[in-house]
Amino acid sequence: MFELSPHATKADLLQEINRAENSLAELCADMIRCGAGSAPSDTRRCIAVVAQLMGQHGIPFEIEEPQPGLQSLLAIQGSAHGPTVVLNAHLDVFPADDATLWTYAPFSGKIEDGRIYGRGACDMKAGAASSITAFLLLASLAPRLRGRLVLMLVADEETGGHWGTDYLLRTRDDLHADACLIGEPSGTRALRVGEKGQLWLELSAQGASYHSGLANGDEPIFRVARAISLLHDEFVGRPGRIPSAMTPVIENSRRYAWVPEFAGRQWVLDHISVNVGTIEGGIRTNIAPRDCRASVDIRLPFGIEPDALTGEIKELFAKANLDVVVSPLLHTPYPATFTDPDDPLIHVATRNIEQVVGCTPDVIVNPTFTDARFFRIRGYPTVVFGPTPYGMAQPDEYVTVEDLLTTAKVHAGTAWDLLVEDPQ
Ligand SMILES: [Zn+2]
């Protein structure tokens, strides 16, 4: 399974992926099933499945676990004298929410009618299974690689990346990338070359508790509510400053309906958006609350830096005499990042999508973020290409087997062109 003969051609590679359809679908389903009974961030069982597969193929690998349960796996094949191509995927998932809302159990990995169901199916066990498949197939041709192929399966993507991709890139001197492919869900008619930045903040206010009959309108919940109103009025919809290389990419992105909810919200691509995700405080209707906390997710278009915006928010609250504390919720907030649409990686990936899917992909940016930012901020060209997401962050998440095969072929074919044959 997932092996090529020593003289295989690229056509053999794509044919082998077709032949491996059932194995590939089962690998994806197995990786979904690993989520049962584990915290969404705990990658150990999934890593164990991959480790077994690597063992069967005789491929050496390393496991890093910088925090309990947050395991990442690294495997490297080929020669250091040449370009390095990284296949990156995260193995952690969103929480499954209420199991009674699902048709099949959230971690069933049920395969039916060409679909694979379960939490993480599209985000991103299908991408991870594609990366593994591409890696194993090219690893079987290791003597023919004119550079290094790196498989990087990580934890902590959904919760910030500090202990996953970012950890590996900042602590390992042997890791860099001349090209990086990530199989996050993009839909198979698009190639993602950039994404918005993110700034997560907590707004908090403290006070004393007393009888509600004495409330004077300056209690912690009122203050946080005023702070939220100010954020809304001052920042929601503020335009970014778009680099000229990205202007046509933003235009493409407006037309690309990657999830149904995107309709009517295209403005988020090049403007600030703000989500107040949680708010908590107080214990009873007729007691003044002692405290209030709100978590806020601000997405930054190109040209707006997180530190500068944090400073502006603090200044705004100070000017309004608002006693609200602003604290960071991410280890590292990030600005928007992109890989130049003229980078060779974009051309190679585009050609492979054309060959496999039969159409020229829309080159787009996305309002959601991925671990691509950790590569791009270091100057490593990075693209995201993966399946169409169905039910992402909702019950009955699924991916189609067809999209899974397409993702595996595009990743394997792109890595082939970069490492096994000259793309010219
Ligand atoms: Zn993801």
Side-chain angles (χ1 to χ4, degrees):
M1 181 173 70
F2 307 136
E3 272 189 74
L4 293 170
S5 71
H7 305 292
T9 62
K10 190 176 172 191
D12 296 331
L13 169 84
L14 301 179
Q15 195 49 43
E16 185 56 32
I17 294 173
N18 281 334
R19 260 200 298 272
E21 175 178 328
N22 290 342
S23 306
L24 184 49
E26 274 304 328
L27 174 60
C28 177
D30 274 349
M31 291 170 78
I32 292 167
R33 292 173 193 132
C34 293
S38 297
S41 60
D42 188 337
T43 54
R44 285 174 294 188
R45 290 174 62 192
C46 204
I47 290 283
V49 167
V50 182
Q52 195 185 9
L53 195 56
M54 292 291 140
Q56 285 164 5
H57 285 78
I59 290 179
F61 59 88
E62 294 171 70
I63 292 174
E64 300 260 12
E65 189 172 355
Q67 295 282 303
L70 306 190
Q71 286 189 347
S72 297
L73 180 144
L74 263 181
I76 302 176
Q77 290 283 293
S79 148
H81 306 291
T84 294
V85 176
V86 174
L87 304 170
N88 172 285
H90 70 83
L91 302 180
D92 57 326
V93 292
F94 279 132
D97 200 358
D98 182 350
T100 64
L101 300 174
W102 290 68
T103 307
Y104 307 110
F107 298 102
S108 68
K110 173 93 173 166
I111 304 175
E112 189 177 72
D113 294 335
R115 296 173 175 185
I116 309 168
Y117 288 89
R119 172 55 80 234
C122 59
D123 184 14
M124 64 168 293
K125 298 295 169 68
S130 298
S131 299
I132 294 165
T133 303
F135 179 83
L136 290 176
L137 287 169
L138 266 65
S140 68
L141 302 177
R144 288 171 59 194
L145 299 181
R146 58 178 183 86
R148 285 195 310 170
L149 182 62
V150 178
L151 179 66
M152 190 188 277
L153 302 174
V154 301
D156 195 35
E157 194 274 345
E158 303 288 9
T159 39
H162 188 71
W163 300 113
T165 294
D166 190 36
Y167 176 81
L168 295 175
L169 291 177
R170 75 173 182 269
T171 59
R172 306 234 351 178
D173 293 340
D174 58 336
L175 285 182
H176 65 274
D178 297 292
C180 172
L181 296 157
I182 302 180
E184 288 270 21
S186 62
T188 55
R189 289 168 184 272
L191 185 64
R192 279 162 61 173
V193 302
E195 58 196 35
K196 289 180 80 178
Q198 65 279 354
L199 173 64
W200 289 7
L201 299 173
E202 182 181 82
L203 310 180
S204 61
Q206 307 294 320
S209 66
Y210 38 79
H211 193 284
S212 62
L214 301 171
N216 64 2
D218 196 39
E219 286 69 27
I221 293 178
F222 271 127
R223 275 184 268 146
V224 170
R226 279 204 291 277
I228 290 170
S229 283
L230 284 175
L231 276 189
H232 177 275
D233 295 348
E234 187 67 26
F235 299 111
V236 172
R238 179 188 286 191
R241 288 180 296 278
I242 311 303
S244 57
M246 294 310 283
T247 306
V249 176
I250 298 255
E251 285 310 314
N252 287 341
S253 312
R254 286 189 217 287
R255 291 190 296 271
Y256 189 76
W258 57 289
V259 288
E261 296 82 5
F262 187 53
R265 298 170 204 259
Q266 286 86 346
W267 63 268
V268 301
L269 291 166
D270 50 356
H271 295 78
I272 292 179
S273 70
V274 179
N275 180 58
V276 181
T278 64
I279 182 160
E280 49 190 84
I283 54 168
R284 217 185 126 97
T285 310
N286 58 351
I287 296 177
R290 214 189 326 263
D291 61 6
C292 181
R293 285 181 308 284
S295 65
V296 182
D297 175 358
I298 303 173
R299 298 297 168 108
L300 310 173
F302 293 108
I304 295 186
E305 297 296 316
D307 288 348
L309 194 69
T310 306
E312 203 182 325
I313 290 168
K314 288 180 178 172
E315 220 171 277
L316 180 71
F317 293 171
K319 262 193 211 148
N321 285 324
L322 203 49
D323 183 12
V324 166
V325 176
V326 177
S327 347
L329 281 177
L330 283 175
H331 281 283
T332 321
Y334 265 78
T337 58
F338 70 98
T339 294
D340 194 299
D342 253 338
D343 189 276
L345 170 63
I346 312 297
H347 294 298
V348 177
T350 297
R351 201 168 61 226
N352 276 276
I353 297 167
E354 286 169 348
Q355 283 166 3
V356 174
V357 182
C359 73
T360 300
D362 286 316
V363 174
I364 62 167
V365 295
N366 211 261
T368 60
F369 66 83
T370 68
D371 278 356
R373 69 194 187 282
F374 299 122
F375 291 90
R376 293 195 185 113
I377 205 87
R378 290 171 169 88
Y380 306 153
T382 301
V383 291
V384 170
F385 176 83
T388 299
Y390 297 102
M392 188 161 62
Q394 296 164 7
D396 288 343
E397 177 177 346
Y398 72 89
V399 66
T400 66
V401 175
E402 186 186 352
D403 278 6
L404 173 63
L405 285 175
T406 298
T407 304
K409 284 187 225 172
V410 168
H411 285 231
T414 302
W416 177 288
D417 286 351
L418 294 168
L419 286 176
V420 182
E421 283 179 350
D422 194 291
Q424 304 308 311

